[in-house]
Amino acid sequence: MPKDDFEKKEYDILIVGSGAGGGMAAYVLATAGLKVLMLEAGRSYDPIKETPMFNLPKDAPLRGGSTPEKPFGFYDATVDGGWQVPGEPYTQASNERGQRFDWWRARMLGGRTNHWGRISLRMGEYDFKPHSRDGLGFDWPISYQELAPYYDKTEMLIGVYGTNEGLENTPDSSDGVLLPPPKPRAYELLAKKSCDKLGIPVIPSHLAILSERLDHENIPQKLFPNNKLGQSVTRESMKSRAACFWATPCGRGCSIKANFQSTTVLLPPAMATGNLDIITDAMVREVTIDKKGQANGVLYVDKNTRQERFASARAVVVAASAAETSRILLNSKSTLFPDGLANGSGVVGKYLMDTVGAGIGGQIPALENMPAHNEDGASAMHMYMPWWLYKEQLRGDLDFARGYHIEFGGGRSMPGAGAFGGMGNFTKGAYGKDLKEACRRYYGSFVWFDGRGEMIPNEDSYCEIDKGQVDQWGIPVLKFHWKWSEHELNQAAHMHKTFAGIIDGMGGKVTSTVQTDGAKAIINGGAIIHEVGTARMGNNPKNSVLNPHCQSWEVSNLFLTDGAPFVSNADKNPTLTIMALAWRTCDYIVDQFKKRNI
């Protein structure tokens, strides 16, 4: 449909962004019968047609290795995007290590959900009330119990494998929600043996990958008990999804729909309702308001014609990613909102957070000369370690206030570019036949451990409009300010020490430098791509942007459904919570439409 026709239609909801939050909003609102227009800044993308699932490393430039244009390798699903997007710069207040925020963007339909690691962890009771627990940061205006039903629904819809272990602040799903996890691999079992001695729990991972096909006969009715349209489109969508055949990396995308992507799980059933229209290559500049201060649409740049256009709706949902959402709000200035839309509190852009990251690797002699064996399974981990020192932390035994979980890998998967990097440290200059024998000996004996920890929000980490620079579309860009506190730095140092202990317990040798200085161990802000905060929800309009329903305090028909509303950033990867929170918000929006409050 031509863009002029879209602009002539009347829409109930306009959604900016098509990733986890935007895709979920489109799905819930369209199945509820509302007319929805979605704007996506990137190009259209169809994983079924475009995913190179069975291409081998030898078929790609540099054997599929990383380049500045494709940092995660040639086959990564991010077709347009990365930490640098041509023509769309951002600036840093400082380029010093530990003071910069590297901003990842995915300019494509489905956004980051095409690329992400599929790790799907629920936040726990402590995570929603961190200030009440230790006096740091802020409490959410909602509790775990309020979001738990939406975690269940989201897990049933997207398909998450894992188990219920009953561990502290690691919530169980309701019975029958989770899919069975794949069996652990040899190196994972060896790591568990080491961790058992150290008192570190090792349990099946929770990943949004179908270990078996979804129950399309019963799940749709559980999700939409009184909604025949929702049941119908969800049932057909679930029938189209195959179980994973444990063959290719999820980061490439999935043409059989076995893993979760907005483009395979959320947008197709939303489109099937007939209630969703999508415009791609639409770079939103600002949200517009009427004389009463209510949102009435957005101005966007058609990237193909470079013309500015206007799209209208009765309500606006912004889910462009946390920082991009704040950029849009801060650029939406008017006489009613001179400091940016919905920014009477001055909090828009503030309290930006990412996940704390640090890691080391090791070589395990016990895994040398392993006979060839089947390591089929998910391209990600089958097991992980949730945080285990809550009681010690609460007593003050540690020098950092929040925890981390451990992700780890290794094994004998398909060798890619750099698979034998660092072999010279073990082969003593072997060449020819000796080198080949050494590669066979050592391949599969290397492991890595990465921590993913909670960052406490602080006033020195935020984004603002850089008044001196615009992107190629004429839109003012963001400038990032970043600072880790001592809590995060000490946490990163603790990660290194812990991982070294696990490797030692496996009978291995650490192949990285174990840093006692957290500033040297920690990865730059933004590098983990868990960008949240900048427009937090709360109970008080004086110090928050949104109410407990992710609705603007000042503009009642404006909602945010990405990571921007996050009040804290627990050590649990945020995508599952983004989707659960978006579903809850959209149920509220539907209710407000029914009551004619919008």
Side-chain angles (χ1 to χ4, degrees):
M1 183 186 297
K3 290 184 173 64
D4 288 335
D5 292 340
F6 285 129
E7 292 171 8
K8 291 175 183 176
K9 289 181 66 174
E10 292 187 1
Y11 292 98
D12 298 309
I13 303 285
L14 189 154
I15 300 173
V16 181
S18 62
M24 182 62 83
Y27 170 73
V28 175
L29 296 171
T31 54
L34 296 176
K35 299 299 181 181
V36 181
L37 176 63
M38 172 180 282
L39 302 184
E40 163 55 47
R43 74 163 175 86
S44 183
Y45 171 72
D46 183 355
I48 296 176
K49 297 178 180 178
E50 298 188 53
T51 300
M53 285 189 71
F54 301 109
N55 295 40
L56 299 174
K58 70 180 180 62
D59 300 322
L62 304 176
R63 296 190 63 84
S66 173
T67 65
E69 293 76 24
K70 297 282 287 187
F72 286 88
F74 180 79
Y75 290 127
D76 180 63
T78 305
V79 291
D80 286 311
W83 280 293
Q84 298 296 329
V85 177
E88 297 183 25
Y90 56 93
T91 62
Q92 305 280 356
S94 171
N95 281 308
E96 293 294 322
R97 177 179 171 82
Q99 297 182 34
R100 56 179 293 124
F101 182 87
D102 297 323
W103 189 23
W104 178 275
R105 290 161 291 172
R107 293 291 190 238
M108 60 191 298
L109 191 67
R112 299 172 186 169
T113 67
N114 299 301
H115 153 96
W116 72 305
R118 276 78 188 179
I119 298 171
S120 302
L121 304 176
R122 296 185 178 205
M123 290 174 55
E125 294 183 17
Y126 301 166
D127 302 321
F128 285 94
K129 304 296 178 184
H131 183 269
S132 295
R133 182 171 166 81
D134 61 25
L136 299 170
F138 310 96
D139 286 345
W140 290 59
I142 62 173
S143 66
Y144 170 75
Q145 287 73 18
E146 291 174 81
L147 200 58
Y150 291 96
Y151 277 132
D152 275 350
K153 292 201 291 185
T154 301
E155 289 169 345
M156 285 191 287
L157 172 66
I158 69 175
V160 175
Y161 72 62
T163 57
N164 291 326
E165 300 291 335
L167 297 177
E168 186 176 12
N169 201 43
T170 304
D172 291 344
S173 302
S174 294
D175 290 342
V177 168
L178 296 174
L179 301 174
K183 294 180 179 179
R185 301 176 173 105
Y187 71 87
E188 291 174 317
L189 292 173
L190 189 58
K192 184 179 187 306
K193 185 177 180 180
S194 174
C195 288
D196 286 346
K197 296 177 181 178
L198 297 171
I200 301 173
V202 184
I203 64 174
S205 303
H206 287 223
L207 267 72
I209 301 171
L210 302 189
S211 58
E212 59 185 33
R213 298 195 69 178
L214 293 173
D215 181 1
H216 63 266
E217 294 292 343
N218 295 303
I219 292 177
Q221 189 169 358
K222 293 178 181 178
L223 299 180
F224 298 103
N226 301 306
N227 182 339
K228 295 297 184 182
L229 177 61
Q231 291 177 26
S232 175
V233 297
T234 302
R235 182 176 300 110
E236 292 305 310
S237 175
M238 289 184 172
K239 287 167 66 175
S240 73
R241 300 183 65 193
C244 180
F245 32 72
W246 312 128
T248 61
C250 286
R252 296 185 179 197
C254 189
S255 62
I256 64 170
K257 306 182 182 181
N259 68 29
F260 169 76
Q261 298 172 247
S262 176
T263 37
T264 56
V265 179
L266 299 176
L267 298 183
M271 292 288 289
T273 66
N275 294 326
L276 172 65
D277 292 324
I278 300 175
I279 302 177
T280 54
D281 292 311
M283 188 73 181
V284 172
R285 174 190 297 274
E286 64 179 276
V287 177
T288 58
I289 57 172
D290 60 21
K291 294 180 181 179
K292 297 180 181 180
Q294 292 293 287
N296 60 7
V298 302
L299 289 174
Y300 71 96
V301 177
D302 181 335
K303 291 166 67 173
N304 295 312
T305 65
R306 306 186 77 89
Q307 292 182 333
E308 187 171 272
R309 306 185 73 98
F310 174 70
S312 63
R314 293 168 61 189
V316 174
V317 173
V318 186
S321 88
E324 189 72 52
T325 288
S326 284
R327 180 191 181 195
I328 291 170
L329 296 182
L330 291 170
N331 278 322
S332 302
K333 295 183 178 181
S334 64
T335 53
L336 290 176
F337 297 99
D339 298 318
L341 187 63
N343 193 28
S345 64
V347 177
V348 174
K350 303 298 177 61
Y351 303 107
L352 173 67
M353 293 168 281
D354 189 28
T355 292
V356 179
I360 63 173
Q363 192 273 331
I364 313 299
L367 296 176
E368 293 175 16
N369 290 315
M370 289 280 281
H373 62 281
N374 190 345
E375 274 204 350
D376 283 359
S379 60
M381 55 199 184
H382 290 184
M383 305 191 83
Y384 87 111
M385 299 79 154
W387 180 238
W388 66 101
L389 296 175
Y390 288 107
K391 291 181 175 60
E392 291 83 349
Q393 215 159 33
L394 192 61
R395 290 198 304 263
D397 294 348
L398 305 178
D399 58 359
F400 56 99
R402 305 287 168 78
Y404 58 87
H405 73 259
I406 305 172
E407 302 172 10
F408 68 113
R412 299 173 58 87
S413 58
M414 172 72 75
F420 295 101
M423 283 286 288
N425 296 326
F426 298 90
T427 62
K428 299 179 180 179
Y431 185 77
K433 181 181 178 181
D434 290 342
L435 176 60
K436 291 180 179 180
E437 290 179 353
C439 288
R440 293 188 183 98
R441 171 186 174 182
Y442 288 107
Y443 188 61
S445 71
F446 295 93
V447 294
W448 52 261
F449 294 85
D450 278 323
R452 297 291 180 259
E454 178 167 357
M455 174 187 180
I456 301 170
N458 68 72
E459 295 181 350
D460 296 310
S461 296
Y462 63 96
C463 57
E464 63 179 347
I465 298 299
D466 187 330
K467 298 177 182 179
Q469 190 163 356
V470 298
D471 64 15
Q472 64 173 317
W473 318 112
I475 304 173
V477 307
L478 286 179
K479 174 187 284 187
F480 288 97
H481 301 252
W482 190 257
K483 182 180 180 180
W484 297 113
S485 75
E486 288 300 312
H487 291 282
E488 289 83 50
L489 299 180
N490 292 340
Q491 182 191 102
H494 189 275
M495 290 178 184
H496 270 213
K497 181 180 179 181
T498 299
F499 305 158
I502 296 172
I503 293 169
D504 182 68
M506 296 172 74
K509 309 165 189 174
V510 175
T511 56
S512 311
T513 300
V514 178
Q515 300 287 357
T516 57
D517 180 356
K520 294 179 180 179
I522 203 165
I523 300 171
N524 274 344
I528 307 300
I529 319 178
H530 291 170
E531 153 207 338
V532 296
T534 74
R536 72 185 184 200
M537 57 196 300
N539 286 316
N540 187 341
K542 292 182 179 180
N543 57 24
S544 60
V545 179
L546 310 169
N547 69 16
H549 297 288
C550 295
Q551 176 184 32
S552 165
W553 290 108
E554 300 170 271
V555 184
S556 62
N557 65 341
L558 173 66
F559 300 83
L560 308 186
T561 62
D562 53 16
F566 276 43
V567 180
S568 64
N569 189 23
D571 71 294
K572 287 80 170 179
N573 305 38
T575 305
L576 183 69
T577 299
I578 288 173
M579 289 191 283
L581 194 60
W583 197 327
R584 177 178 180 272
T585 296
C586 290
D587 273 358
Y588 176 78
I589 293 173
V590 171
D591 181 64
Q592 292 301 293
F593 267 88
K594 289 179 179 178
K595 293 177 178 177
R596 299 184 182 276
N597 291 335
I598 298 178

